[in-house]
Amino acid sequence: MRIGVTSDLHGILPEVEPVDLLLVCGDIMPLNIQCNMPKSEKWLKGTFFDWAIGAPAKHVVFIAGNHDFWFERNGGKEPEMYNMFHKPSDGKIVYLHNKAWEYDHETVEGTFVKYKVFGTPYCKQFGNWAFMREPETLQARYEAIPIDCDILLSHDAPKLLELGMIRDGAWAGENAGNPWLADEILRKQPKYSFCGHIHSGKHELQEFNNMKFANVSLVGEDYKVHHTPLYLDI
């Protein structure tokens, strides 16, 4: 199965290669409309929806991030929020809010292999942004990560392998990784763990304890494109 993974689009919708699953780790909204709920909804239903539907992928699976205020403020309307993508896309677009989704991949031999993907938007507190929570709430949210998780999508970067190390800008040299997310990852051992949030965190695919990790932010600390989506055959 071939996957493409990216994060922190901030309104920039890249061209992507053909994949089975296109995975997006949050912060999809354009910065100039992130706090404007009517404009955010119009952009999601129009520009983002058209991009996702047109992507050369069987499924586009995404989570929200700390700049995606529309998703947090509509949390009380979760069924409507899911249906906004699921019904009109006929299941191609999958939004995950601290929950798991299973994909049956058909191999060339005609057999099926099941992959479990879990996505969470929750981040440690740093300012007044969406989905930022105190440690006790984070621990409770992260407990939902299944023990048999194949692919973990988190917006926040775990405090592991310099995934959350800030390399550019005013905070350069600070490891802003999330220790509570790191603890749960080490307990649950997902096969693949992808994140964003810290734009200049280490992007190279790394392996640790038979798990593979990468920060897949599209933009840098200057919010300009510095990276391309990560493509893997798994």
Side-chain angles (χ1 to χ4, degrees):
M1 180 174 76
R2 186 160 177 79
I3 63 173
V5 200
T6 189
S7 183
D8 295 79
L9 309 179
H10 294 287
I12 302 167
L13 303 176
E15 291 187 15
V16 296
E17 298 176 8
V19 291
D20 293 293
L21 299 182
L22 177 60
L23 310 170
V24 185
C25 297
D27 274 2
I28 63 174
M29 299 299 305
L31 291 173
N32 63 331
I33 63 170
Q34 62 186 0
C35 293
N36 186 312
M37 297 304 101
K39 287 186 177 180
S40 291
E41 184 164 335
K42 182 178 179 181
W43 185 85
L44 285 166
K45 290 181 175 179
T47 304
F48 178 75
F49 182 86
D50 291 344
W51 172 78
I53 285 294
K58 293 177 182 176
H59 292 280
V60 177
V61 184
F62 78 101
I63 63 174
N66 65 293
H67 284 269
D68 298 325
F69 288 95
W70 186 89
F71 289 92
E72 180 166 63
R73 294 181 186 179
N74 284 276
K77 301 178 180 178
E78 190 169 277
E80 291 89 342
M81 186 163 53
Y82 280 75
N83 290 340
M84 186 174 102
F85 298 104
H86 288 189
K87 284 184 177 177
S89 71
D90 198 25
K92 178 174 180 176
I93 305 175
V94 179
Y95 170 63
L96 296 179
H97 180 89
N98 215 67
K99 67 192 307 182
W101 172 77
E102 292 187 348
Y103 170 63
D104 287 323
H105 174 67
E106 186 175 7
T107 68
V108 293
E109 293 83 11
T111 59
F112 287 88
V113 179
K114 189 179 296 292
Y115 291 88
K116 183 172 288 187
V117 183
F118 185 91
T120 181
Y122 292 103
C123 304
K124 70 182 181 70
Q125 291 176 313
F126 183 80
N128 188 25
W129 299 93
F131 298 110
M132 290 193 169
R133 300 292 189 270
E134 71 284 353
E136 294 79 11
T137 301
L138 292 179
Q139 290 170 322
R141 296 290 188 271
Y142 297 153
E143 284 179 358
I145 299 171
I147 195 70
D148 57 347
C149 182
D150 294 298
I151 301 172
L152 172 64
L153 307 179
S154 66
H155 183 61
D156 209 355
K159 198 169 187 179
L160 289 168
L161 305 172
E162 298 189 355
L163 295 165
M165 180 66 74
I166 303 173
R167 289 180 166 77
D168 302 313
W171 300 94
E174 179 177 342
N175 191 335
N178 182 325
W180 303 282
L181 177 58
D183 287 346
E184 197 65 23
I185 287 173
L186 293 176
R187 277 192 288 271
K188 298 296 178 59
Q189 300 275 310
K191 295 182 178 67
Y192 294 86
S193 183
F194 303 110
C195 65
H197 189 45
I198 307 302
H199 297 173
S200 55
K202 195 164 186 178
H203 276 61
E204 293 83 355
L205 186 68
Q206 302 176 79
E207 186 168 351
F208 176 71
N209 277 10
N210 296 317
M211 298 178 284
K212 291 183 171 64
F213 298 84
N215 186 314
V216 291
S217 172
L218 185 73
V219 303
E221 302 296 346
D222 57 1
Y223 290 89
K224 297 179 181 178
V225 175
H226 285 258
H227 305 281
T228 58
L230 172 68
Y231 296 99
L232 293 174
D233 292 305
I234 67 171

